[in-house]
Amino acid sequence: QLHAAGAHGEERLVRPHSQNAHRALAPGEREVERPRPGKGVGAGTKSLQFAGALGGLIGTMAPVELFDAANEFLLRQDWVFSFATAVNVRVDLRTGAFLVTSAGHPPVLRWNGVWSTWDLDPAQGMALGIIRDPQFRQSKGTIGPGEALMLYTDGVVESRDRDVDAGVEFLRTSAARSA
């Protein structure tokens, strides 16, 4: 779809599905292709703004409070697509105790040395910026000798031609074969 970007940054539809191809642009308009959500320069700029807003809060708030603040920030934005997935993992390096909090992100994987498998961590939650007061289910545990947690960007398991769950399963089995 093509949109017209006005002088104040607003976008409005100019030529949906090649219709109105004869329409002339009004003064101050330019024809632009609207990027897909989460892609392109616009998404990068929004990601940087989001990261900057949260950067000072990381480490000063409990994970659920941090995610609540992030959720409120996104809900206040006047962006067409304003949601994000996130995961927060806190590990006590002396004891191995960990806490995982997830907001719509694919699961953290935990290495199970006994069975030589990467197990799915049960922490779950709604993506940020979707609804007010989302619930986040945290998980706790302890990493012992020979165990590990695997964190990864959702882009590793996302694909246009494959379900995210299938991508996670591919990552789990591929990583287990490599261990």
Side-chain angles (χ1 to χ4, degrees):
Q1 293 183 341
L2 296 179
H3 292 71
H8 300 292
E10 74 277 2
E11 290 185 2
R12 57 189 173 84
L13 190 59
V14 174
R15 296 180 184 157
H17 308 293
S18 299
Q19 296 173 355
N20 302 324
H22 63 281
R23 180 196 174 280
L25 295 176
E29 287 184 335
R30 61 185 167 79
E31 199 167 73
V32 296
E33 183 177 348
R34 175 171 254 172
R36 291 192 333 261
K39 308 290 181 203
V41 175
T45 302
K46 290 174 185 174
S47 293
L48 285 173
Q49 185 178 358
F50 182 58
L54 297 181
L57 300 177
I58 295 173
T60 65
M61 303 174 93
V64 170
E65 291 172 338
L66 175 67
F67 281 7
D68 284 339
N71 190 61
E72 286 303 313
F73 173 85
L74 289 172
L75 289 173
R76 284 191 309 267
Q77 303 312 303
D78 190 25
W79 296 336
V80 175
F81 300 102
S82 60
F83 66 93
T85 66
V87 64
N88 180 290
V89 178
R90 297 193 176 190
V91 179
D92 182 325
L93 298 177
R94 289 174 286 122
T95 66
F98 68 87
L99 173 67
V100 178
T101 309
S102 181
H105 199 277
V108 169
L109 301 178
R110 181 177 180 183
W111 178 249
N112 180 330
V114 173
W115 297 102
S116 297
T117 60
W118 285 99
D119 298 333
L120 300 177
D121 185 86
Q124 296 179 8
M126 173 73 70
L128 303 169
I130 305 288
I131 62 171
R132 295 219 178 273
D133 302 318
Q135 300 298 307
F136 305 107
R137 189 172 78 203
Q138 298 177 299
S139 68
K140 296 178 181 182
T142 304
I143 301 173
E147 294 180 323
L149 296 175
M150 183 190 308
L151 304 156
Y152 51 94
T153 179
D154 46 9
V156 169
V157 295
E158 289 178 338
S159 172
R160 290 183 181 175
D161 61 346
R162 179 178 59 201
D163 180 74
V164 171
D165 291 338
V168 171
E169 186 58 29
F170 177 78
L171 177 62
R172 287 178 64 219
T173 57
S174 298
R177 281 194 302 265
S178 299

